[in-house]
Amino acid sequence: MIEYYQPQAGQNLAFADIDLGTPAVNSDTTVTMSVDGVEVTVPAGTSVLRAAALAGIQIPKLCASDNLESFGSCRLCAVQIEGRRGMPASCTTPAEEGMKVTTQNDKLATLRRNIMELYISDHPLDCLTCPANGNCELQDMAGVVGLREVRYGFSGDNHLDAEKDHSNPYFSFDPSKCIVCSRCVRACEEVQGTFALTIQGRGFESKVAAGQNEDFLASDCVSCGACVQTCPTSTLMEKSIIDQGQPDHSVVTTCAYCGVGCSFKAEMKGNQLVRMTPYKGGAANHGHSCVKGRFAFGYATHQDRLTTPMIRDSIDQPWKPVSWEDAIQFAADRIKGIQAKYGRESVGGITSSRCTNEETYLVQKLVRAAFGNNNTDTCARVCHSPTGYGLKTTLGESAGTQTFDSVMESDVIMVIGANPTDAHPVFGSLLRKRLRQGAKLIVADPRHIDLLKTPHLGEAIHLPLRPGTNVALVNAMGHVIVTENLENQAFIQNRCDTALYSKWREFIAQERNSPEASESITGVPAAQVRKAARVYAQKGNSAIYYGLGVTEHSQGSTMVMGIANLAMATGNIGRDGVGVNPLRGQNNVQGSCDMGSFPHELPGYQHVGVDELRKNFEQAWGVDIDNEPGLRIPNMFDAAIEGTFKGLYVQGEDIAQSDPNTQHVQKALSSLECLIVQDLFLNETAKYAHVLLPGSSFLEKDGTFTNAERRISRVRRVMPPVAGKQDWEVTQDLSNALGYPMNYGHPSEIMDEISRLTPTFTGVNYQRLEQLGSIQWPCNDDHPVGTPIMHVEDFPIGKGRFVLTEYVPTEERSTRRFPLLLTTGRILSQYNVGAQTRRTDNQIWHDEDVLELHPHDAEERGIRHGDWVGITSRAGDTVMRAVVSSRMQPGVVYTTFHHPGSGANVITTDNSDWATNCPEYKVTAVQVERVTQPSNWQQRHQEFDQQQRHFLNSTTAETGG
Ligand code: SF4
Ligand code: SF4
Ligand code: SF4
Ligand code: FES
């Protein structure tokens, strides 16, 4: 039985390229019917249109699509059913046992031709010059029904002069071509959940309208493109297709932006990418996308791309363009020289969460085998390292427990410190769909996030806690659960370590953990916390989704364990609809952790200190590996400033912009004798480099990414690398130049090595990925097609382990000098440090970072909307424009970090999580005041930026690049 919400491995691929007309139905019973004499068995409730398509019979259709509920407006899908009168629409007629359907006879043919004739009589007859020519459902259907002539002329009323809307940077709207099928309106509602479109007017006057009859850009439209994709005409059309024409081939690959890991068809014209179409066979996205993955791909061919390797002796010198061989040799000689002078431990590497698993694996292997130390780390240090620590300690595995689709079985959805509609938009849309179906929502966040504004949202509880008080809140919820006996005792007795549970119970039941006692800490009324705890514990399947608002705190790891405690205490682990789900930020941050990027863990989270685990790698790699963990990123910075750490290889990571306390990072980078940066652009880190190695975009290489569901998906090369090499080839060359041989011919060989050395990956290989489409690890003999839901029978550590989660206030508190708390986050249109999205038309939505503050705080300081404000913390100061917003609570201000010149991380401090050193980005005490000029740091940054750009541009001019 085809089942949307309980995906079986590979099933998404079965009909990935066919539109079956109406969505799959979830039913335990089946019915058997015949279509044109062909018998077909389908789940009860399936439409006749879909049943016919499953039997291989395509009934003409226009208003139906298999990602939308049937609508029944065009009547083109009419059929005849034995024993019934008339010609019902097959898209709205459910299949029944014994039904006999005829899809083709003269009467039906005449009806369909008449319908098409009416459509075409109010449609421009410019097919040959229309951008959709050859890829237009209206044109196809005219051909299918055999329409040869139109009896009605254009002399009467028509829509041919309707005004076009070109306001959106990526698609245009030409109402003269619209057949008012409502597919766009329904896609915006049902798939995306934004409700930006309506059909206005009636009969002949009816038309599609965005927002309050505005243009698309001014409306609530978030530019996801679902309407464009579903439009059966060229009314809604990608500008890239209008400009460049229809593609001639396509390749399925994986989005390189966020941790949702959407699958796309990269549609090509020769080597030119003309459209990214979300792939229905993608198990993470089922054919949906957001504005970034679908439209913001222009960065890959942007003129700023680095195309030539470059070297220099010091950062105040211009660059010298050299061959790949010379650049690699220069880098290797420098690293060897530094190690000879300062010791083996004086160099290290940072792997990239943007690069593939195979590339990340190679960088950490290079550090451990060629550098000969464990000084490897990754950006997960600054985002989800507490997830790794917290979930491993409590549940025994460092990853989320569910599939995204699992949320469709949830009755209660608790979102803590995450903003899915902006940061994980495709999952945000799925979540909204479940909320519209009636699931209850609990949001713990200092801000009133957009999820709380979901159209048709049912019961929702917002817990607007003060930044830094997560642990007090989760403890208060735990307190309610145990003191009101809301635990799932059967789960606790069978699945958990009961001695640890008893200790936790005793701790959490103490009055100091009650909602009433915590109210003065969190700022959340006790009654609200009690209500949230009761809903979470009592209303069926409860799932927790959390983000960096949980991890990026001095108690990030404690909070992750507090969340796991709640899930175990209520038995919300190990089945669909429940679980603990970190929403991973970057496309491959899960993978970069899995691949052994951390200084203490080899691939598959195998600790370097455990002899028998380390020996496997030593034998396979033919080297001795240090049994002591190496330096974490913050330790590398400190050691660089102290003078003991001198060389760093950074692949695809802009630490100078993304890491906290920018001035400290800049000082560390300036102290290095050799900084090797491999990246697409001259990013902030690259301005401190001695060796610049051009990186390759996801379109230029083969490999795999692993998303937030542990899903490994293929990345496929669709165009040649602009500088001639894929990133893994560059790492391999560097290793060879350092004297440690690597000889892979293709990333699949690297994956084969990973599988041999990583117990959770033994079943993963490229052939199986081709067969199944994607695989959620663990994938091994016990789980040959992967593991959608974790911890179903037991935990990898046997019994689940409750941990005491004492609330310890952060040292970063508001004071008289710094009376406000700054917290940071993301927005939909930009991504992370913005290196990609700033080089696309997404700039139209967010071309600078701004400071959001509550009207009360603004008024107290005489600040008006749009004023320049200085933001000062004990780490530094910067200047941004103010946005006065009641989304904030008084006392809390908010910004993003997508633009380097805004200096958001100049103000964040180097406070960090006690267990993992994950920085406390989410809590910085600041003062805000009106100013008239940029900060000193911004002025220095601008000068340095101009100098480095000049060095680069003069080099490019010389080489004609
Ligand atoms: S814009 Fe396209 S999808 Fe929307 S109603 Fe018109 S033809 Fe249908
Ligand atoms: S692009 Fe997305 S959000 Fe905008 S109107 Fe279309 S479906 Fe709605
Ligand atoms: S949701 Fe994430 S993975 Fe999907 S298209 Fe958007 S950025 Fe890409
Ligand atoms: S496709 Fe069935 S009525 Fe339009």
Side-chain angles (χ1 to χ4, degrees), residues 49 60-65 71-78 89-92:
L49 179 68
K61 64 178 185 60
L62 268 178
C63 69
S65 178
F71 191 57
S73 74
C74 75
R75 313 298 294 180
L76 203 63
C77 67
S90 60
C91 63
T92 51

Side-chain angles (χ1 to χ4, degrees), residues 560-870:
V560 173
M561 294 189 287
I563 288 171
N565 287 344
L566 279 197
M568 287 189 290
T570 53
N572 278 310
I573 295 273
R575 61 182 189 280
D576 265 319
V578 299
V580 175
N581 304 284
L583 291 173
R584 297 278 189 158
Q586 310 219 46
N587 55 324
N588 199 37
V589 66
Q590 179 70 54
S592 73
C593 298
D594 301 342
M595 291 300 107
S597 294
F598 288 135
H600 65 295
E601 282 168 338
L602 292 152
Y605 305 99
Q606 302 178 78
H607 202 285
V608 290
V610 179
D611 292 348
E612 57 270 32
L613 299 178
R614 198 180 61 254
K615 277 207 177 88
N616 292 334
F617 288 88
E618 291 181 332
Q619 277 165 8
W621 295 351
V623 291
D624 289 338
I625 300 172
D626 255 5
N627 62 358
E628 290 289 331
L631 298 176
R632 298 168 171 180
I633 292 173
N635 309 136
M636 292 183 197
F637 293 153
D638 292 344
I641 291 168
E642 280 163 17
T644 55
F645 188 78
K646 291 288 185 183
L648 183 61
Y649 170 36
V650 185
Q651 185 181 72
E653 176 72 23
D654 193 0
I655 45 181
Q657 190 181 338
S658 63
D659 284 39
N661 197 348
T662 306
Q663 297 182 91
H664 183 73
V665 178
Q666 290 173 331
K667 193 167 170 197
L669 295 179
S670 326
S671 309
L672 295 173
E673 290 184 11
C674 179
L675 175 60
I676 306 162
V677 169
Q678 184 176 348
D679 218 295
L680 303 182
F681 305 106
L682 181 82
N683 62 18
E684 296 307 297
T685 309
K687 291 170 190 165
Y688 294 86
H690 306 90
V691 183
L692 206 41
L693 304 172
S696 48
S697 81
F698 78 114
L699 297 166
E700 297 157 26
K701 57 195 177 191
D702 281 302
T704 55
F705 292 153
T706 306
N707 77 351
E709 311 163 289
R710 298 167 275 106
R711 184 182 302 284
I712 306 158
S713 302
R714 278 283 273 118
V715 176
R716 294 182 178 87
R717 178 178 146 154
V718 301
M719 57 177 73
V722 293
K725 282 184 193 283
Q726 302 181 43
D727 286 321
W728 63 271
E729 294 174 303
V730 178
T731 306
Q732 173 159 293
D733 289 348
L734 180 58
S735 187
N736 287 328
L738 284 162
Y740 179 77
M742 287 188 189
N743 295 299
Y744 305 98
H746 188 269
S748 63
E749 295 170 19
I750 305 174
M751 181 54 84
D752 291 342
E753 180 175 315
I754 295 165
S755 305
R756 286 195 294 275
L757 291 167
T758 310
T760 45
F761 273 65
T762 53
V764 181
N765 57 58
Y766 277 33
Q767 202 184 355
R768 196 166 289 182
L769 282 166
E770 289 299 330
Q771 286 162 359
L772 301 177
S774 60
I775 298 172
Q776 286 176 275
W777 65 260
C779 177
N780 46 31
D781 289 346
D782 292 339
H783 307 278
V785 292
T787 311
I789 307 287
M790 301 269 279
H791 317 310
V792 174
E793 305 279 323
D794 50 23
F795 295 102
I797 44 173
K799 301 282 187 188
R801 297 170 70 83
F802 283 85
V803 173
L804 303 193
T805 51
E806 190 73 59
Y807 168 64
V808 181
T810 169
E811 286 167 14
E812 188 71 15
R813 290 171 219 190
S814 48
T815 59
R816 203 153 3 144
R817 192 167 155 224
F818 302 119
L820 302 171
L821 289 180
L822 169 78
T823 188
T824 60
R826 296 180 176 176
I827 56 142
L828 174 67
S829 54
Q830 295 285 1
Y831 195 73
N832 202 271
V833 293
Q836 296 152 288
T837 43
R838 280 187 280 110
R839 292 181 172 91
T840 70
D841 285 335
N842 279 26
Q843 279 287 84
I844 201 168
W845 289 287
H846 184 90
D847 60 357
E848 62 179 328
D849 293 316
V850 294
L851 187 82
E852 280 185 42
L853 77 171
H854 188 270
H856 172 79
D857 295 323
E859 195 185 326
E860 238 182 14
R861 292 165 175 77
I863 295 170
R864 282 167 312 186
H865 201 82
D867 280 350
W868 286 108
V869 288

Side-chain angles (χ1 to χ4, degrees), residues 173 177-184 199 208 231-233 235-236:
F173 176 59
K177 307 232 164 118
C178 181
I179 58 170
V180 201
C181 64
S182 281
R183 275 168 67 166
C184 53
I199 300 284
V208 172
C231 181
T233 66
T235 311
L236 285 159

Side-chain angles (χ1 to χ4, degrees), residues 254-264 278 285 288-294 423-427 585 587 828 831:
T254 306
C255 180
Y257 279 113
C258 87
V260 177
C262 296
S263 268
F264 280 89
N285 59 321
H288 189 38
S289 75
C290 79
V291 59
K292 294 186 287 279
R294 189 192 294 263
H424 300 85
V426 165
F427 175 64
N587 55 324
L828 174 67
Y831 195 73

